Structure formats: structure tokens, C-alpha cells
Amino acid sequence: MNCDPLAFLSNPGRMESGASGRKRVAEQNGPTQQTGVTDKGRCGMCIGIPMQVIEQRDLMALCRGRGREEMVNTMLIGPQEPGTWILNFIGSAREVLTETEAKQTNDALDALEQIMGSDGEVDVDSYFADLTDPNRKPGSFSNDQSG
């Protein structure tokens, strides 16, 4: 099967605005959580998962995140101390995260899970409070007020 890594973007549901803010309304035929494959045979996106290092073992680290443990290749980021947050893409750590970045990424993944598993409305803004803060300067994140 040919996988389209952008299949999720072609059918992410629709945004609706209302008195309580923007909400994502899920639509049918989205990718399944386990495989990323939709019921129409398309594949979903490859999404980085924040994981916390439990134990470094040479060029691999035992990591925990989002309810599972996994051995992750750390060749790209080097050995890491236990407690360090990393961004895991299909078994390979691509970057080191701060605790805040890990939380923000997990919040975004929680929102995606809610959208993909919902037959109704999901309050997307509640998962992105750091981006929907009315006092946030354009182009900055809540922990970066330099922009």
C-alpha cells in the first residue's frame, strides 16, 4: 500500500466558530490511532512523540511516553541523562525537548486524539492555551515574550 503522509491533512475535519470559540468537528474516515491507516487505505502522518529517558544504554535509551516504553536510538542527539525529554520519530530521537515543550507537544497530541476519536465537537482551544492566550505577542509562544 502506498502511504500518503499528508492524508490526515486532507480530511482533518472542519473548524466551526461559535460563541465559545473555535471548535474542530470530526468527520468520518480519519486515520486510526494504532496504525495511522484510514478505512479508505490511506496512511496518516508521522508524528513525533515526546518521551522521557529512563536509562541510556550506549546509543539506545529506554524511554517512556504516552503510556508505553520503547528503546529509542539516540545517535542523532547523543547520550542523554535519565529524566531528559526527547522527541521520538519511529524509534529515533530527533531532538531534546524542555519539559515545557514536551507538555505542549503532548497537549497537541491529546487534541488530535480527541478530534480523531470524536463523533461530535471538540474544544480545540483548550488544548492550545499557550497559543490562544490573548496577551501572547504575535509569533511568540507563552514562554517566549521576546517576539
Side-chain angles (χ1 to χ4, degrees):
M1 169 191 330
N2 291 332
C3 282
D4 175 6
L6 301 178
F8 176 74
L9 295 178
S10 66
N11 185 17
R14 64 186 186 281
M15 292 297 287
E16 291 183 353
S17 294
S20 61
R22 295 185 316 257
K23 295 190 184 296
R24 171 78 63 186
V25 179
E27 294 181 354
Q28 300 295 323
N29 304 325
T32 64
Q33 185 175 10
Q34 291 81 15
T35 65
V37 177
T38 69
D39 60 357
K40 291 187 177 182
R42 298 176 300 177
C43 292
M45 299 183 326
C46 172
I47 298 176
I49 306 296
M51 301 190 89
Q52 196 168 31
V53 175
I54 299 169
E55 178 184 344
Q56 183 71 44
R57 302 176 186 170
D58 294 322
L59 297 176
M60 301 290 287
L62 177 62
C63 298
R64 181 180 299 130
R66 300 198 64 79
R68 68 174 195 249
E69 289 186 357
E70 183 176 336
M71 288 300 294
V72 178
N73 183 318
T74 58
M75 286 180 63
L76 293 175
I77 62 169
Q80 301 297 314
E81 294 293 321
T84 302
W85 284 94
I86 57 99
L87 192 58
N88 175 29
F89 284 87
I90 313 172
S92 184
R94 300 287 172 93
E95 69 181 273
V96 176
L97 301 175
T98 65
E99 187 172 353
T100 299
E101 291 169 328
K103 181 190 180 320
Q104 291 170 336
T105 304
N106 274 318
D107 287 349
L109 293 173
D110 290 344
L112 282 174
E113 286 180 356
Q114 288 295 313
I115 291 165
M116 292 167 57
S118 174
D119 290 333
E121 292 185 5
V122 175
D123 180 8
V124 176
D125 288 348
S126 68
Y127 293 97
F128 298 97
D130 58 308
L131 298 177
T132 59
D133 178 358
N135 297 319
R136 182 178 69 88
K137 294 180 181 178
S140 70
F141 294 98
S142 62
N143 58 350
D144 171 23
Q145 294 299 314
S146 62

